[in-house]
Amino acid sequence: MTITGFIFWAVVVVLIVYLIIIYNNLVTLKHNVSKAWSNIDVLLKQRHDELPKLVETCRQYMQYEQDTLEKVMQARASVATAQQNGDISALGSAEGALRMGLGSLFAVAEAYPELKADQSFQHLQARITGLENSIADRREFYNESVNINNVRIEQFPDVILARFFGFKSFTLLEFTSEELVDLDIKSLFER
């Protein structure tokens, strides 16, 4: 084998190894997005299971606040539907409605000292607040994973392999305009 032939085969091997590395990195990014979504999914299911307990505990004390309780349960149903359908954009808006409903529920609960003193309510409120914080953290991690994936599949030379093997972009979990508005806590207490 001549030196030219050796160089040619060395370049071919290096190119193949480089393409394999790019492909494997794209696969890793795709699975990181799936893993990030699964982490959110677990927390959403946990919160989904806790909300009826919270609403039932509140219902025992808050006879005149049925509208607030209904909004929380409707938002819970919207989140569950979006989650089951894998509709990221619908999930974002449903999450916003649920977060606002929970904020209203906790604010209205301030007017019921017996409810605030109830151990069950305190436990559920702390549990759901903790889940909300975890969901926010996981949502940030999901969006970061999606962003890295989406950038990589558009960069050269990754874009060539991404298109050839059908790698796709993912949708970010974005805030709705209602979520970006400051919550008027005073109005929640004036009921």
Side-chain angles (χ1 to χ4, degrees), residues 70-87:
E70 288 300 317
K71 285 180 181 176
V72 169
M73 293 311 290
Q74 288 171 352
R76 173 185 176 255
S78 297
V79 168
T81 301
Q83 181 185 5
Q84 289 170 352
N85 295 337
D87 187 349

Side-chain angles (χ1 to χ4, degrees), residues 127-141:
R127 174 88 172 116
I128 289 173
T129 301
L131 286 169
E132 288 297 318
N133 292 335
S134 295
I135 289 169
D137 290 343
R138 300 286 166 86
R139 184 176 179 164
E140 185 178 331
F141 179 70

